[in-house]
Amino acid sequence: VSDMRSVASAAEAIERDSGRLAVLVNNAGIGFVRQPPSQLDTALLHEVFETNFFGAFEAAKAFLPLLRRSEAARIVNVSSTLGSITHLADPHWHAHQRLYTPYSISKAALNAFTALLSAELIDTTIKVNAVEPGYTPTDMTAQKGVQGVEEAARVVVRYATLNAEGPTGGYFEGRGRIAW
């Protein structure tokens, strides 16, 4: 509840200061723990969903009126290939049995929300996409990764600054489209 109040307060502050918002980047990720689905603690799943899914959902709802006032607003939901059902179901995928279950389920839900919100906004100038920034050294990954933060940020910035002909309703990484 306090987080939703923070989101509402932020929306009110932007409303007062500028009356509109051009870009919303939903970048939240917790629950990067390996746990088989059959052993997943429900309380942990709720906690991860609160941050990874409901946080983005509430932010999009709160800021959508401000985004509608911009000429070409963008919503970028930061996801992960660990949220790609296509990848998760592929026994040949390198992370098939890593089982980051709470994180993966929450990011798959975020991906579905991305697709549905883009469908709702298809007749507007607002573009909504999910992006996979890549395996990057952060606190969540225990400082492990294959690229720097600057490289990871490039894909987010690319979809936050799309021109009018750019895609909407997609799932992308640095090299292009990813399977949902």
Side-chain angles (χ1 to χ4, degrees):
V1 174
S2 63
D3 291 332
M4 288 185 271
R5 281 191 213 125
S6 297
V7 169
S9 294
E12 290 168 6
I14 293 169
E15 171 78 35
R16 277 191 313 273
D17 292 347
S18 65
R20 64 188 173 139
L21 182 66
V23 176
L24 174 63
V25 176
N26 284 311
N27 181 23
I30 66 167
F32 200 65
V33 295
R34 292 175 77 167
Q35 194 167 52
S38 64
Q39 296 174 23
L40 181 60
D41 178 62
T42 304
L44 175 60
L45 186 61
H46 279 277
E47 179 184 346
V48 171
F49 256 77
E50 275 301 313
T51 297
N52 297 2
F53 174 74
F54 286 112
F57 176 81
E58 291 296 334
K61 281 182 58 179
F63 290 110
L64 193 55
L66 297 167
L67 291 159
R68 288 182 185 275
R69 295 183 195 147
S70 288
E71 290 181 30
R74 306 292 179 253
I75 299 174
V76 179
N77 291 324
V78 179
S79 187
S80 169
T81 53
L82 290 168
S84 164
I85 295 173
T86 300
H87 282 79
L88 293 171
D90 180 358
H92 303 292
W93 184 51
H94 69 90
H96 179 256
Q97 292 185 320
R98 294 215 177 116
L99 303 178
Y100 294 100
T101 303
Y103 182 81
S104 292
I105 293 171
S106 69
K107 291 299 185 173
L110 180 65
N111 290 345
F113 174 62
T114 300
L116 293 166
L117 185 59
S118 71
E120 176 185 348
L121 299 173
I122 196 72
D123 292 327
T124 72
T125 60
I126 301 172
K127 296 192 181 293
V128 184
N129 291 292
V131 299
E132 151 64 275
Y135 188 41
T136 308
T138 64
D139 290 345
M140 188 179 76
T141 64
Q143 302 306 320
K144 296 178 184 167
V146 297
Q147 65 181 5
V149 173
E150 297 81 13
E151 187 177 343
R154 281 189 201 110
V155 69
V156 175
V157 171
R158 181 180 317 144
Y159 289 91
T161 59
L162 288 172
N163 64 27
E165 290 75 41
T168 192
Y171 186 20
F172 302 93
E173 64 179 358
R175 295 173 298 213
R177 192 173 288 271
I178 311 173
W180 292 107

